[in-house]
């Protein structure tokens, strides 16, 4: 199976179609659900927390070319690795792009089509290109449901 190449995989992994790039640099926690078209690009570490859910066509990028001080133009062969961390209970919509070095906080929601270029706070709702803060979940309610162990 595609996920056998991962660094580690938690219980109840759901891969709901063809995805690319699951390698030793990727760690998947319990209850992760990834929909078709997902791509994990670059060799930087990618850590996905418990009960993460993605829409279709997610792209997570964990490396970039050296373009600031390249030995050639427009960039050289040096790859700059920047880890991506997605905390527990995050939901990302269809066609989301997450760029190198980003951390997405627990319980965050990323709207469809968003391009995440910087860290997302816990429980935040973000959307757009670049992704901007749209609001927050009801944190008290979220914590209560979490304590009751009601996970999808």
């Amino acid at each position: 199976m595609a996920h056998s190449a991962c660094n580690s995989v938690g219980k109840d992994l759901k891969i709901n179609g063809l995805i690319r790039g699951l390698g030793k640099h990727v760690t998947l926690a319990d209850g992760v659900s990834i929909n078709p078209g997902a791509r994990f690009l670059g060799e930087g570490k990618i850590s996905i927390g418990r009960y993460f859910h993605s829409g279709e066509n997610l792209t997570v990028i964990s490396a970039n070319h050296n373009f600031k001080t390249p030995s050639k133009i427009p960039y050289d062969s040096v790859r700059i690795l920047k880890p991506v961390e997605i905390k527990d209970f995050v939901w990302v919509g269809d066609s989301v792009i997450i760029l190198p070095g980003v951390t997405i906080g627990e319980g965050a929601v990323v709207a469809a089509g968003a391009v995440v270029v910087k860290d997302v706070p816990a429980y935040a709702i973000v959307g757009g290109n670049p992704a901007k803060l749209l609001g927050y979940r009801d944190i008290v309610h979220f914590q209560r449901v979490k304590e009751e162990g009601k996970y999808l």
Side-chain angles (χ1 to χ4, degrees):
M1 270 188 102
H3 62 273
S4 64
C6 288
N7 178 44
S8 68
V9 175
K11 296 180 292 188
D12 302 322
L13 173 66
K14 294 180 190 94
I15 294 180
N16 302 311
L18 184 63
I19 62 174
R20 291 182 26 211
L22 288 181
K24 294 291 182 195
H25 63 296
V26 179
T27 299
L28 305 172
D30 294 344
V32 168
S33 180
I34 302 171
N35 277 307
R39 301 180 313 152
F40 299 90
L41 307 176
E43 293 301 315
K45 291 184 179 183
I46 298 172
S47 175
I48 298 180
R50 297 180 311 133
Y51 299 95
F52 165 85
H53 284 245
S54 79
E56 294 186 7
N57 302 312
L58 166 68
T59 301
V60 180
I61 306 169
S62 63
N64 205 344
H65 295 282
N66 176 30
F67 60 87
K68 289 188 178 181
T69 57
S71 60
K72 296 179 182 177
I73 302 297
Y75 55 83
D76 60 26
S77 61
V78 174
R79 301 286 285 171
I80 300 167
L81 306 183
K82 293 187 175 181
V84 172
E85 184 176 10
I86 301 171
K87 303 281 188 173
D88 296 343
F89 309 109
V90 170
W91 175 30
V92 300
D94 281 2
S95 301
V96 167
I97 300 171
I98 301 169
L99 294 184
V102 166
T103 296
I104 300 178
E106 178 181 84
V109 177
V110 181
V115 178
V116 184
V117 301
K118 63 182 183 178
D119 291 353
V120 175
Y123 317 111
I125 302 166
V126 300
N129 179 6
K132 294 189 180 350
L133 181 64
L134 302 175
Y136 284 90
R137 286 182 175 228
D138 179 330
I139 298 170
V140 171
H141 179 78
F142 181 95
Q143 291 292 342
R144 183 172 55 249
V145 173
K146 179 181 167 185
E147 288 170 12
E148 292 170 358
K150 295 180 179 175
Y151 312 142
L152 178 61

